[in-house]
Amino acid sequence: MKLTAEAKGTFAIAPTPFHDDGRIDERSIDRLTDFYEEVGCDGVTVLGILGEAPKLDATEAEQVAVRFVKRAKTMQVIVGVSAPGFATMRSLARASMEAGAAGVMIAPPPSLRTDDQIVGYFKQAAEAIGPDVPWVLQDYPLTLSVVFTPAVIRKIVMDNPNCVMLKHEDWPGLEKITTLRGFQKDGSLRPLSILCGNGGTFLDFEMERGADGAMTGYAFPELLIDVVNLSKAGKRDAAHDLFDAHLPLIRYEQQPGVGLTIRKYVLQKRGIIASSAQRKPGATITAMARAEVEYLLSRVARVDKRANLGPQSSAAG
């Protein structure tokens, strides 16, 4: 089923599993996909920024995307197709949709600076993938250095009927969500799904501002699902209490450069992927960092037993 503006819930951002020697680990892709479905994710997004997409050639990117799509049974799969040229973007988008993907995600190239450049780029990108392909607009200025004002987002969405979702990753960005929902109330913006990223760092309040859910990575997607569901049910304190227990580990995962290594290490520890390896160039987890992660896990486990993954440090005493 294709992605629509009604999409909501939790879409996990999937890392790309590799063997220690850098080869794509297809069996771990299968286990990871199964895991996301088993814990209740509504969807999964592959080949995002933390999916190490730039380290894959075109053939590998298509291989990874199709593997996830074919393995998923109930989840919608969104494929990141951002590329320097529209020919590569179009090719991956088409291959992914033909395999059964729900839609694609497009991020801006860092060279965009003016509002007109941003709007013009996405109009061309939408034309390149075709009007029949639903797509997600990725707003991630912290990494991509391209700043979208709410008015620019509105312009992109209104100019491109197949743009059905915003991946909101501005920081601070709570007021942006409020402004966009205000546009919808006054009729100047059509329906738009808003899912939030940034490792879930502000998910508790993003939900309260009107987000439809999460689209991000975290070693415990169950936490993201719970916070989204508790927030929707109006159980504010329960959502914040659970979120607060995980926040130190979420914060630790958000470290630039090493955060993906931390996430992969915990996923490996959980038995979901076989190796925490990144394809080079990439960071590796040090012995001291592993010890810190173990300590953080032991503290999370005081509240959420799902984080009890092995020998506990003194924090669990």
Side-chain angles (χ1 to χ4, degrees):
M1 185 172 64
K2 287 187 177 181
L3 195 68
T4 72
E6 301 302 313
K8 57 183 181 296
T10 300
F11 283 61
I13 290 286
T16 301
F18 295 105
H19 293 287
D20 290 340
D21 61 6
R23 290 178 296 119
I24 295 167
D25 183 351
E26 294 184 339
R27 292 183 64 184
S28 286
I29 288 177
D30 293 346
R31 284 196 299 271
L32 187 60
T33 308
D34 293 347
F35 166 72
Y36 287 139
E37 287 197 311
E38 288 164 3
V39 300
C41 289
D42 299 282
V44 61
T45 302
V46 304
L47 301 181
I49 290 175
L50 287 184
E52 300 181 72
K55 300 176 185 177
L56 305 176
D57 63 32
T59 300
E60 289 177 321
E62 182 175 327
Q63 172 190 348
V64 168
V66 171
R67 186 88 183 192
F68 273 105
V69 171
K70 295 294 188 182
R71 186 72 179 188
K73 300 177 182 67
T74 61
M75 297 185 301
Q76 292 188 300
V77 180
I78 297 171
V79 178
V81 297
S82 306
F86 290 137
T88 301
M89 181 185 295
R90 181 188 304 111
S91 177
L92 181 55
R94 286 295 168 185
S96 300
M97 295 303 293
E98 287 171 5
V104 303
M105 183 168 69
I106 305 173
S111 59
L112 301 180
R113 286 294 175 266
T114 69
D115 291 351
D116 287 345
Q117 288 174 342
I118 294 169
V119 170
Y121 175 83
F122 283 102
K123 183 174 180 59
Q124 293 179 42
E127 291 171 349
I129 63 174
D132 58 326
V133 178
W135 61 278
V136 180
L137 173 64
Q138 185 172 13
D139 179 16
Y140 196 9
L142 278 74
T143 293
L144 300 172
S145 74
V146 178
V147 178
F148 297 168
T149 66
V152 164
I153 293 173
R154 177 173 58 183
K155 175 70 171 169
I156 293 169
V157 173
M158 297 303 286
D159 284 355
N160 301 283
N162 54 335
C163 179
V164 298
M165 179 184 289
L166 172 69
K167 185 173 193 285
H168 168 77
E169 299 193 90
D170 205 347
W171 183 351
L174 295 175
E175 299 301 332
K176 181 177 283 187
I177 297 174
T178 298
T179 300
L180 291 171
R181 291 311 191 201
F183 288 160
Q184 291 179 313
K185 288 179 181 177
D186 68 25
S188 64
L189 176 64
R190 61 178 173 80
L192 178 71
S193 174
I194 300 178
L195 300 187
C196 298
N198 275 324
T201 311
F202 299 99
L203 182 60
D204 49 351
F205 286 109
E206 286 166 340
M207 291 300 300
E208 295 178 10
R209 291 296 188 108
D212 294 299
M215 184 193 287
T216 194
Y218 178 47
F220 292 90
E222 305 98 313
L223 174 277
L224 306 174
I225 294 168
D226 289 346
V227 170
V228 168
N229 291 340
L230 289 167
S231 297
K232 288 180 178 179
K235 298 179 180 179
R236 187 184 196 189
D237 286 346
H240 281 269
D241 287 345
L242 183 58
F243 178 82
D244 290 349
H246 281 260
L247 186 55
L249 183 57
I250 290 173
R251 181 193 63 180
Y252 199 86
E253 264 199 16
Q254 277 295 95
Q255 295 178 89
V258 301
L260 178 58
T261 304
I262 304 304
R263 185 174 304 160
K264 281 190 163 185
Y265 170 73
V266 178
L267 289 171
Q268 180 189 26
K269 189 175 175 65
R270 298 190 73 181
I272 299 161
I273 60 176
S275 171
S276 62
Q278 294 184 52
R279 180 170 279 187
K280 296 177 181 178
T284 57
I285 187 168
T286 64
M288 184 170 290
R290 280 197 300 271
E292 290 167 345
V293 171
E294 298 292 346
Y295 176 72
L296 288 170
L297 286 169
S298 73
R299 292 186 62 82
V300 175
R302 290 176 169 182
V303 174
D304 188 342
K305 299 305 181 185
R306 293 172 296 198
N308 190 350
L309 304 182
Q312 299 298 293
S313 72
S314 58

